[in-house]
């Protein structure tokens, strides 16, 4: 029993040494695994794996001069008598991979790169050379390319750009770098990458497995150093000696935070300005310094004193504090203004705000310079009143101005005549008293606006407006208000109202108008009409008797006395013209005198003038036409005279005697048919009774 077993073991090792394995009913192969390369030689070792009849393994980047041996294919039907031919098909068959058709040895003809293609799938079969019949059907197998460490790690970016806040804690994440290796990550350590830092210590560190860069030093200050350049290496073979490596650069910038307070470069500032400086003008500018940048360096300035003469604002671009004037300066009142200005950051970081004060203060002195100023009036404007009946030379008020620079200086006053073209007012040049130089009339102009000037040494001048109000006095009598005519019917009855009259007065009494109406005393005797006061500034004109005759008297004149209620009383007598008209029973007027007819027809004076002009134009046209006709009749005998030698062309539809024939027609007959003689014959035709020879 032991002899057959020993025999089988010997046979097994012999077949392994030959690189073949025989099985029943198919192709077999013996695979060899490439384990390393030394120069052009190839070291092989037996695979300890289980039998995988459909796979071959081939080492990439073969450097030998001969074709690289892959393996051997063998069929049980091959008796090694030369009758079997092996055929290879599939990926790379005949180009990359060739097979010895007699022995079944498989070779690679060129260097292979696993990174280009990791495996090839082929088919092989055994064919009878004599008959061409397949001894073995096609059997598919795979050739896998084993990886070697021939690719260094490569970073996805170069350089990396990163940033981190200044003063960050140790271990703060900055950025993660990534390197890739084209080698096979499933075989050996060829693609296992480890990161390390070559440049950038002790400020930063990198995690070997992940490539995460972190801060390694506390309290890194941007104001000390802002930019860092870190070099990171990625090495394969797990970082072991002999592994391939690649590097990248990481540019890291420290971001600013508000960890620095603003500071004034000096504690006291001084500005000198003239007292004539206009409000809104710039006094001066302050500039505090801040080591931070951006919004962390934005500052706000404040005047801490309780005052309203100055204000301060921040200039956006330069972050300067601009001091401006809000009120007028006065050297005589105050020569120096002292301000306390504070500056602080707009945006504060609570992590650093508690460490120290993030504000600073400075003293600002504003020195006011004296300027020679014009006189200043004690009031911005003056209002004066005067009655319209005041006499010329009456003083209505006075103005007063002082020199701010010298209270005892002498000023001169005058009126700007451009504001008083009629010279109604005048002023005393020394004391500023304004008086009347011409009569006033409130009804003509109730207010006068003049400008008074004050001069100092005839050089500096100031103005002040003076408003003069003219007060009313009762110097105008009331009169009829647009009514001076009335009509009465012949059949009017006694006590009948024929007209309501009202009055107007140019005066404007403080309590309003009050008019009184009455019939003039001289018309009270045998009066035909009377006046009844309605107590509302109107009066009614009524009849005294019944019946009026147009034949006896067509027009009555009624004198009405109108008096006002002011003092002194002013009155006037106004005449109301009453015309008598014939009316029907209902009191509707039918006919008045000719003047009344004209008014009733609604013809105004302008219309009457237009009608009269039309009549005159028509008369002139008639006269002109008559004159032209007479002139024409006077000219006709001259044309008929024999001395008229002008050519006369008359068409008779017959042949004439030519240009020299002037006796053919009688011109006078043509012009005056009335003078035709019955016995007169044509001169160019011989009469029947008598022929001229």
């Amino acid at each position: 029993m032991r002899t057959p077993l020993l025999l089988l073991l010997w046979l097994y090792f012999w077949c392994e040494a030959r690189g073949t394995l025989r099985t029943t009913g198919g192709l077999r192969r013996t695979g060899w695994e490439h384990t390393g390369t030394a120069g052009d030689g190839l070291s092989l070792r037996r695979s300890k794996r289980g039998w995988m009849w459909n796979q071959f393994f081939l080492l990439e980047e073969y450097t030998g001069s001969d074709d690289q041996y892959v393996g051997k294919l063998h069929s049980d039907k091959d008796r090694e008598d030369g009758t079997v031919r092996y055929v290879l098909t599939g990926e790379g068959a005949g180009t990359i991979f060739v097979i010895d058709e007699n022995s079944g040895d498989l070779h690679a003809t060129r260097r292979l790169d696993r990174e280009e293609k990791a495996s090839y799938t082929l088919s092989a079969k055994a064919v009878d050379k004599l008959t061409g019949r397949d001894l073995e059907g096609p059997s598919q197998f795979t050739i896998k390319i084993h990886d070697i460490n021939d690719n260094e790690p490569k970073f996805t970016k170069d350089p990396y750009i990163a940033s981190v806040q200044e003063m960050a804690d140790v271990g703060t994440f900055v950025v993660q770098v990534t390197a890739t290796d084209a080698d096979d990550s499933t075989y050996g350590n060829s693609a296992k990458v480890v990161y390390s830092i070559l440049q950038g210590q002790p400020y930063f560190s990198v995690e070997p497995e992940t490539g995460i860069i972190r801060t390694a030093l506390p309290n890194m200050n941007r104001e000390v150093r802002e930019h860092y350049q870190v070099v990171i290496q990625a090495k394969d073979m797990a970082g072991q000696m002999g592994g391939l490596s690649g590097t990248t650069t990481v540019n890291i910038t420290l971001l600013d935070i508000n960890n620095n307070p603003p500071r004034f470069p000096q504690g006291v500032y001084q500005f000198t300005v003239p007292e004539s400086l206009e409000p809104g003008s710039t006094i001066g500018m302050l500039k505090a310094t801040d080591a931070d940048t951006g919004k962390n360096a934005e500052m706000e300035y404040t005047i801490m004193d309780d005052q309203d003469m100055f204000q301060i604002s921040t200039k956006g671009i330069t972050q300067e504090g601009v001091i401006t004037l809000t009120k007028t300066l006065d050297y005589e009142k105050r020569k120096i203004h002292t301000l306390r200005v504070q500056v602080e950051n707009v945006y504060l970081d609570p992590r650093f705000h508690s460490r120290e004060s993030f504000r600073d203060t400075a003293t600002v002195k504003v020195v006011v310079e004296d300027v020679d100023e014009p006189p200043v009036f004690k009031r911005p404007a003056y209002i004066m009143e005067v009655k319209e009946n005041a006499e010329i030379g009456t003083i209505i008020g006075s103005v007063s101005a002082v020199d701010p620079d010298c209270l005892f200086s002498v000023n001169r006053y005058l009126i700007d005549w451009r504001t008083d073209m009629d010279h109604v007012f005048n002023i005393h040049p020394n004391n500023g008293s304004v008086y009347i130089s011409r009569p006033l009339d409130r009804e003509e102009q109730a207010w006068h606006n003049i400008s008074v000037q004050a001069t100092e040494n005839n050089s500096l001048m100031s103005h002040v407006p003076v408003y003069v109000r003219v007060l009313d006095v009762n110097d105008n009598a009331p009169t009829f208000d647009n009514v001076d005519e009335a009509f009465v019917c012949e059949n009017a009855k006694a006590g009948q109202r024929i007209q309501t009259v009202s009055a107007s007065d140019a005066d404007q009494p403080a309590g309003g108008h009050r008019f009184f109406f009455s019939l003039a005393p001289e018309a009270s005797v045998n009066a035909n009409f009377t006046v009844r006061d309605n107590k509302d500034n109107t009066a009614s004109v009524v009849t005294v008797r019944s019946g009026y005759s147009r034949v006896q008297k067509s027009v009555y004149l009624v004198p009405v006395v109108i008096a006002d209620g002011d003092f002194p009383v002013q009155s006037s007598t106004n005449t109301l013209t009453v015309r008598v008209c014939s009316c029907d029973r209902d009191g509707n007027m039918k006919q008045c005198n000719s003047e009344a007819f004209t008014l009733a027809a609604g013809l105004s004076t302008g219309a009457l003038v237009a009608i009269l002009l039309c009549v005159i134009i028509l008369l002139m046209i008639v006269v002109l036409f008559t004159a032209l006709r007479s002139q024409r009749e006077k000219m006709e005998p001259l044309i008929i005279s024999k001395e008229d030698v002008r050519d006369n062309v008359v068409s008779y539809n017959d042949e004439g005697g030519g240009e020299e024939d002037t006796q053919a027609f009688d011109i006078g007959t043509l012009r005056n048919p009335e003078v035709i003689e019955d016995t007169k014959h044509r001169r160019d035709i011989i009469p029947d009774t008598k022929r001229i020879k």
Side-chain angles (χ1 to χ4, degrees):
M1 189 68 182
R2 295 180 59 184
T3 302
L5 289 175
L6 292 174
L7 195 60
L8 287 174
L9 288 174
W10 176 84
L11 180 62
Y12 171 77
F13 287 111
W14 180 81
C15 291
E16 282 291 295
R18 295 276 317 260
T20 62
L21 178 63
R22 298 181 182 274
T23 59
T24 302
L27 294 173
R28 287 133 339 255
R29 60 105 182 149
T30 299
W32 293 90
E33 181 181 0
H34 297 233
T35 59
T37 303
D40 292 336
L42 181 62
S43 173
L44 305 177
R45 67 179 177 83
R46 175 69 58 192
S47 296
K48 297 294 180 79
R49 61 184 180 275
W51 288 107
M52 298 178 62
W53 65 272
N54 61 342
Q55 285 189 1
F56 287 97
F57 294 90
L58 187 64
L59 199 65
E60 69 169 335
E61 302 295 345
Y62 174 69
T63 58
S65 59
D66 299 332
D67 291 344
Q68 187 177 5
Y69 181 74
V70 178
K72 184 180 182 64
L73 301 177
H74 190 77
S75 173
D76 290 340
K77 302 295 181 69
D78 186 2
R79 303 301 181 184
E80 298 184 3
D81 54 1
T83 60
V84 177
R85 179 168 60 89
Y86 295 94
V87 179
L88 182 68
T89 59
E91 295 178 329
T95 56
I96 299 176
F97 301 101
V98 295
I99 191 171
D100 188 334
E101 64 179 10
N102 296 318
S103 64
D105 291 332
L106 185 63
H107 291 82
T109 61
R110 62 186 181 189
R111 178 190 296 183
L112 300 179
D113 189 352
R114 189 201 65 83
E115 286 72 38
E116 292 182 2
K117 189 172 179 62
S119 63
Y120 296 85
T121 301
L122 298 100
S123 295
K125 65 180 179 179
V127 180
D128 191 332
K129 289 183 178 181
L130 298 177
T131 63
R133 183 175 57 86
D134 291 346
L135 299 178
E136 294 281 355
S139 178
Q140 191 175 38
F141 62 94
T142 301
I143 299 176
K144 290 187 176 181
I145 309 302
H146 268 187
D147 182 51
I148 64 173
N149 188 20
D150 59 343
N151 292 280
E152 73 277 3
K154 293 183 179 181
F155 285 92
T156 56
K157 294 181 182 179
D158 189 19
Y160 283 82
I161 305 298
S163 60
V164 64
Q165 284 189 346
E166 64 173 332
M167 311 299 290
D169 296 333
V170 175
T172 301
F173 174 85
V174 179
V175 69
Q176 182 176 14
V177 296
T178 302
T180 58
D181 195 317
D183 293 325
D184 189 359
S185 60
T186 63
Y187 180 76
N189 294 326
S190 298
K192 188 174 182 180
V193 178
V194 174
Y195 301 94
S196 61
I197 185 168
L198 300 182
Q199 176 183 321
Q201 294 175 326
Y203 308 103
F204 301 94
S205 63
V206 63
E207 295 181 359
E209 291 80 13
T210 62
I212 294 177
I213 300 175
R214 300 182 182 275
T215 58
L217 194 67
N219 300 325
M220 287 191 293
N221 197 337
R222 185 200 66 84
E223 288 73 35
V224 176
R225 182 178 177 183
E226 183 176 3
H227 301 287
Y228 294 84
Q229 190 175 75
V230 178
V231 178
I232 301 297
Q233 174 185 269
K235 190 174 184 180
D236 59 14
M237 297 299 292
Q240 297 176 7
M241 185 175 296
L244 303 178
S245 64
T247 60
T248 186
T249 301
V250 183
N251 295 322
I252 301 176
T253 302
L254 294 185
L255 300 179
D256 183 58
I257 62 173
N258 192 8
N259 61 329
N260 294 282
R263 290 288 181 261
F264 283 111
Q266 58 194 73
V268 179
Y269 294 83
Q270 180 171 314
F271 303 101
T272 302
V273 295
E275 63 174 333
S276 60
L277 192 67
E278 294 290 336
S281 302
T282 299
I283 299 292
M285 290 186 290
L286 311 177
K287 179 65 186 302
T289 59
D290 193 328
D292 297 320
T293 60
K295 73 183 247 183
N296 296 318
E298 292 183 10
M299 294 172 281
E300 182 179 14
Y301 297 87
T302 308
I303 297 178
M304 306 303 294
D305 305 277
D306 186 13
Q307 54 82 42
D308 57 356
M309 287 288 295
F310 308 93
Q311 67 178 10
I312 190 169
S313 60
T314 303
K315 194 173 182 180
I317 299 177
T318 61
Q319 291 295 301
E320 292 176 298
V322 182
I323 302 176
T324 55
L325 182 66
T326 58
K327 287 187 176 182
T328 304
L329 296 171
D330 192 343
Y331 173 82
E332 287 70 29
K333 291 183 178 180
R334 190 171 181 179
K335 298 177 177 59
I336 297 178
H337 297 265
T338 303
L339 308 175
R340 188 164 59 93
V341 178
Q342 174 183 282
V343 63
E344 62 180 341
N345 283 130
V346 177
Y347 303 98
L348 300 177
D349 193 327
R351 293 178 297 173
F352 306 99
H353 187 252
S354 59
R355 294 185 182 179
E356 57 180 314
S357 176
F358 268 69
R359 59 176 59 93
D360 195 14
T361 58
T363 300
V364 178
K365 293 183 178 181
V366 180
V367 179
V368 182
E369 289 183 336
D370 187 26
V371 175
D372 192 9
E373 301 173 272
V376 177
F377 285 93
K378 292 183 177 181
R379 297 181 188 176
Y382 291 84
I383 298 178
M384 301 178 184
E385 294 182 345
V386 59
K387 289 186 177 182
E388 61 178 326
N389 60 352
E391 296 180 358
I392 295 177
T394 301
I395 296 176
I396 62 175
S398 63
V399 298
S400 179
V402 296
D403 186 356
D405 301 320
C406 181
L407 298 178
F408 302 103
S409 64
V410 179
N411 300 317
R412 292 185 61 82
Y413 303 94
L414 67 154
I415 292 178
D416 186 352
W417 299 116
R418 292 173 297 180
T419 62
D420 186 20
M421 300 296 291
D422 297 331
H423 300 277
V424 179
F425 304 96
N426 208 337
I427 190 170
H428 289 289
N430 296 324
N431 59 18
S433 297
V434 181
Y435 59 91
I436 302 172
S437 60
R438 295 186 62 179
L440 300 174
D441 188 353
R442 190 204 64 83
E443 288 73 32
E444 182 179 344
Q445 187 173 353
W447 283 91
H448 296 266
N449 301 332
I450 63 176
S451 177
V452 175
Q453 300 172 344
T455 62
E456 174 192 351
N457 299 326
N458 295 325
S459 58
L460 299 176
M461 180 182 298
S462 59
H463 301 257
V464 68
V466 177
Y467 306 103
V468 181
R469 178 185 180 188
V470 181
L471 301 178
D472 183 45
V473 296
N474 194 25
D475 58 348
N476 293 283
T479 59
F480 272 151
D481 189 9
N482 299 327
V483 176
D484 57 0
E485 192 172 35
F487 301 93
V488 64
C489 292
E490 290 181 308
N491 57 357
K493 297 179 180 180
Q496 181 178 342
R497 179 177 60 83
I498 63 171
Q499 186 62 276
T500 300
V501 295
S502 60
S504 62
D505 193 339
D507 296 324
Q508 296 292 332
H513 289 294
R514 178 67 179 95
F515 300 118
F516 302 92
F517 299 85
S518 63
L519 191 63
E522 64 270 15
S524 300
V525 181
N526 296 325
N528 294 292
F529 303 92
T530 186
V531 177
R532 182 187 302 159
D533 196 334
N534 296 328
K535 308 300 182 182
D536 59 355
N537 289 341
T538 63
S540 298
V541 179
V542 299
T543 58
V544 175
R545 60 185 176 84
S546 299
Y548 295 86
S549 175
R550 295 177 62 239
V551 178
Q552 295 178 359
K553 191 173 184 179
S554 61
V555 177
Y556 293 89
L557 300 178
V558 181
V560 180
V561 178
I562 306 174
D564 58 19
D566 207 352
F567 181 83
V569 176
Q570 300 288 341
S571 64
S572 65
T573 300
N574 300 264
T575 301
L576 179 67
T577 302
V578 180
R579 301 184 183 277
V580 181
C581 302
S582 60
C583 304
D584 56 16
R585 293 181 179 180
D586 297 329
N588 298 320
M589 288 183 292
K590 297 170 58 178
Q591 184 178 4
C592 294
N593 53 23
S594 58
E595 186 175 357
F597 262 133
T598 302
L599 293 173
L603 295 177
S604 62
T605 303
L608 292 175
V609 172
I611 293 174
L612 182 59
L613 288 175
C614 290
V615 172
I616 293 173
I617 293 173
L618 289 175
L619 291 175
M620 292 178 64
I621 292 174
V622 171
V623 172
L624 181 61
F625 180 76
T626 304
L628 292 175
R629 186 177 181 86
S630 300
Q631 185 70 21
R632 182 179 179 183
E633 291 177 354
K634 291 179 180 180
M635 294 176 63
E636 286 180 353
L638 295 176
I639 299 175
I640 299 172
S641 65
K642 295 181 180 181
E643 296 178 359
D644 186 3
V645 295
R646 292 177 298 173
D647 292 341
N648 297 280
V649 180
V650 182
S651 177
Y652 281 94
N653 292 326
D654 58 2
E655 186 176 354
E659 293 182 356
E660 297 179 356
D661 186 4
T662 60
Q663 302 297 326
F665 302 98
D666 189 351
I667 298 302
T669 304
L670 292 174
R671 294 188 179 277
N672 275 325
E674 294 85 359
V675 298
I676 298 176
E677 297 179 4
D678 295 337
T679 60
K680 196 167 186 177
H681 304 284
R682 291 184 57 178
R683 300 176 184 178
D684 60 338
I685 300 175
I686 301 175
D688 293 338
T689 58
K690 183 180 179 180
R691 187 175 300 273
I692 301 175
K693 295 183 181 180

